[in-house]
Amino acid sequence: MRLNEVSYSDAQPVDGYGEGFFRIGGKVHQGAVLTSAAGTADWGGLADGEPLLALAGEIDVLFIGTGSEIAHIPAELRKPLEEAGLGVETMNSPAACRTYNVLLSEGRRIALAALPV
C-alpha cells in the first residue's frame, strides 16, 4: 500500500469538533465558523449571509453544516447564494466537516460554514 501525505494548500482542514467548538488548522474556534482558503472566522449562523456571499467567484461549493441534525436552510439564505453562482450543499456538521476535508485534500475550491454540534 502506498501512502501519500495530504497537502491542503492555503486552506486548513477541520481537525476536530465537539460540543460548541471546532478545531481548524490546530486552533480552537468556539461557536459557528466559516473556513475557506481565505482563512477561518467566526460566523453569525444562518442569519449571516454576507460573508458567504463574499465567497462568490472564489469557491465553487459551499458546505453548510446545520449542527448535530440535518436541517433545511432558510430560503432567504439559499436563494441569494445560488443566484451568486455558489453550489450549496447542506448536511449535519459532522458530515460537512468530513466532506470538506476530503474535497479540500483534492484541491477543490470549497468553503465550510458550520454550526456547532
Side-chain angles (χ1 to χ4, degrees):
M1 173 193 284
R2 181 179 177 167
L3 299 175
N4 295 317
E5 184 175 343
V6 175
S7 170
Y8 289 104
S9 66
D10 294 334
Q12 297 292 314
V14 178
D15 300 322
Y17 54 86
E19 192 171 321
F21 77 92
F22 294 91
R23 189 173 59 246
I24 300 173
K27 184 177 177 192
V28 174
H29 299 270
Q30 297 294 325
V33 295
L34 171 61
T35 188
S36 70
T40 301
D42 293 338
W43 177 48
L46 299 176
D48 188 16
E50 287 304 314
L52 307 181
L53 286 169
L55 295 169
E58 302 296 319
I59 64 167
D60 299 317
V61 179
L62 170 65
F63 295 101
I64 299 180
T66 57
S68 59
E69 300 293 327
I70 190 166
H72 294 287
I73 62 171
E76 306 82 52
L77 177 61
R78 179 179 288 280
K79 185 176 179 186
L81 294 173
E82 290 176 346
E83 288 174 349
L86 292 170
V88 178
E89 295 292 332
T90 305
M91 54 193 77
N92 67 28
S93 291
C97 290
R98 289 189 302 270
T99 305
Y100 172 80
N101 282 350
V102 169
L103 294 182
L104 185 63
S105 72
E106 295 175 356
R108 303 282 187 89
R109 296 176 357 131
I110 57 172
L112 169 69
L115 300 174
V117 295

